[in-house]
Amino acid sequence: MTTPQLPTFADVQSAADRLQGIAHRTPVLTSSTLNQQLGAEVFFKCENLQRIGAFKFRGAYNALSRLTPEQRRRGVVAFSSGNHAQAVALSGRLLDTPITVVMPADAPQIKQNATRGYGATVVLYDRLREDRQVVADALIQEKGLTLVPPFDHPHVIAGQGTAAKELLEDTGPLDMLFCPLGGGGLLAGTLLSVEALSPDCAAYGVEPLAGNDGQRSMETGSIVSIAPPTSIADGALSLALGQLTFPILQRVARGVLTVTDEELVQVMRWFGERMKLIVEPTGCLGAAGMLQNPDLVRGKRVGVILSGGNIDLSRYGELLAG
Ligand SMILES: *Cc1c(COP(=O)(O)O)cnc(C)c1O
């Protein structure tokens, strides 16, 4: 097997140039109450306020912007029912690229509609009887579409890294950083920025306890695959880290922490009540990991990535009502 070419901080910098004026430079917010409670200085990077409501716009737009004119003309396919689908769909509209999104037929209507709303074609498949990879492969073969995967792609990783680059530019070097972890695109990109801009910073990935493949992979030193987990953190239910994301995590991450769904709901409530921010359960992972470790963060300057805010308000209410 050949060693894949890993993205570098130079790739994050060039992604930042491409995203300039197109992605929002999202705000970095603080809470003096929280800082007093923890005896720390905590900076929240608010990607719930990014276009499409999550950081995934950064990676998708960067990846699409690098396709050749011919690839763009033929179009792009993505499979996802979540934030990546909307990110690719909006990027396609901005870059005049036809987008096809392969989604399970039982994906929430609201997500199908949001994706169609950005002008994408939605192809539904039967989750129990068909393999989405096979459905996507057929489209790639027949129509010459290019696949943009949700995390294991150098331009996707580089794009995701621009959020932490902005954070560190705003705050200066940090002692610690907590970042949600699914397949590792966001964390790997974040680590490239940390390595370049704040090399002494201890950076942690945080994943749902039910889907702790990342933690197990870091402990065993090779990529561990798991069966589909059940958690309210629906953006972090990937079954394995990627071939590109894992080596970057191994090189730079200080560790991977896990949190329960109950902890995520508590944090989601805190963001709503105290910060007036709607953060989806997956977006709460980093903050939940930090709050679990008050001794670790005391006296420190700490960054937390709030990765997204997309949740049905009725579902949000249900979760908070417990
Ligand atoms: C996709 C997603 C994640 C996880 O990102 P990975 O790059 O797969 O690790 C975290 N939070 C939100 C809101 C997401 O949409």
Side-chain angles (χ1 to χ4, degrees):
M1 206 180 86
T2 53
T3 319
Q5 183 76 38
L6 299 181
T8 65
F9 183 63
D11 297 313
V12 179
Q13 285 173 308
S14 100
D17 292 341
R18 283 164 190 262
L19 289 168
Q20 173 83 43
I22 293 168
H24 297 316
R25 187 175 182 107
T26 52
V28 175
L29 300 182
T30 59
S31 158
S32 48
T33 311
L34 178 72
N35 287 347
Q36 266 170 27
Q37 276 169 12
L38 290 174
E41 213 180 340
V42 180
F43 301 95
F44 294 110
K45 176 65 171 169
C46 293
E47 287 295 296
N48 57 323
L49 304 177
Q50 185 51 266
R51 293 183 82 169
I52 73 105
F55 72 92
K56 285 216 174 61
F57 177 67
R58 296 174 182 268
Y61 186 90
N62 187 46
L64 259 69
S65 78
R66 287 169 189 272
L67 298 179
T68 65
E70 175 60 15
Q71 286 174 316
R72 252 193 247 175
R73 194 185 59 74
R74 286 172 179 267
V76 159
V77 61
F79 40 74
S80 160
S81 52
N83 292 334
H84 179 61
Q86 290 173 59
V88 172
L90 174 58
S91 302
R93 195 176 73 187
L94 297 173
L95 290 163
D96 246 337
T97 304
I99 303 297
T100 303
V101 175
V102 179
M103 268 189 199
D106 58 358
Q109 202 64 42
I110 181 171
K111 290 197 170 162
Q112 296 184 30
N113 290 344
T115 306
R116 287 197 188 96
Y118 291 120
T121 304
V122 173
V123 172
L124 299 174
Y125 72 100
D126 180 341
R127 207 152 50 91
L128 303 177
R129 286 192 290 173
E130 290 177 285
D131 180 350
R132 65 182 188 176
Q133 184 72 56
V134 173
V135 177
D137 282 348
L139 291 164
I140 293 166
Q141 293 295 327
E142 278 165 34
K143 301 191 176 159
L145 305 187
T146 302
L147 177 72
V148 173
F151 54 85
D152 210 27
H153 185 291
H155 300 324
V156 171
I157 294 169
Q160 318 305 32
T162 59
K165 175 177 178 287
E166 291 172 6
L167 169 66
L168 290 165
E169 284 166 359
D170 288 2
T171 60
L174 294 171
D175 300 312
M176 310 186 93
L177 196 148
F178 294 87
C179 173
L181 172 60
L186 178 62
L187 180 58
T190 297
L191 294 170
L192 295 177
S193 292
V194 164
E195 205 176 22
L197 302 177
S198 186
D200 296 330
C201 174
Y204 294 86
V206 187
E207 65 186 354
L209 177 61
N212 68 341
D213 61 291
Q215 188 175 58
R216 288 165 58 193
S217 302
M218 291 287 276
E219 282 167 8
T220 59
S222 63
I223 299 173
V224 171
S225 296
I226 56 169
T230 304
S231 162
I232 59 171
D234 57 1
L237 299 182
S238 50
L239 307 182
L241 296 173
Q243 301 295 328
L244 299 176
T245 59
F246 179 57
I248 299 173
L249 267 63
Q250 274 190 307
R251 187 180 77 218
V252 192
R254 188 64 59 93
V256 173
L257 311 172
T258 59
V259 300
T260 64
D261 282 1
E262 292 73 52
E263 290 171 304
L264 291 175
V265 170
Q266 276 176 22
V267 171
M268 204 169 74
R269 173 178 287 110
W270 184 84
F271 277 126
E273 279 177 2
R274 303 308 295 254
M275 304 284 294
K276 319 302 165 196
L277 291 173
I278 295 179
V279 186
E280 65 184 275
T282 315
C284 294
L285 283 165
M290 172 192 69
L291 290 169
Q292 230 182 29
N293 291 283
D295 296 339
L296 209 59
V297 300
R298 193 167 299 119
K300 302 276 166 53
R301 285 165 49 79
V302 183
V304 175
I305 310 244
L306 300 192
S307 52
N310 290 325
I311 180 165
D312 263 12
L313 281 190
S314 52
R315 171 82 176 135
Y316 186 72
E318 269 168 35
L319 286 173
L320 293 183

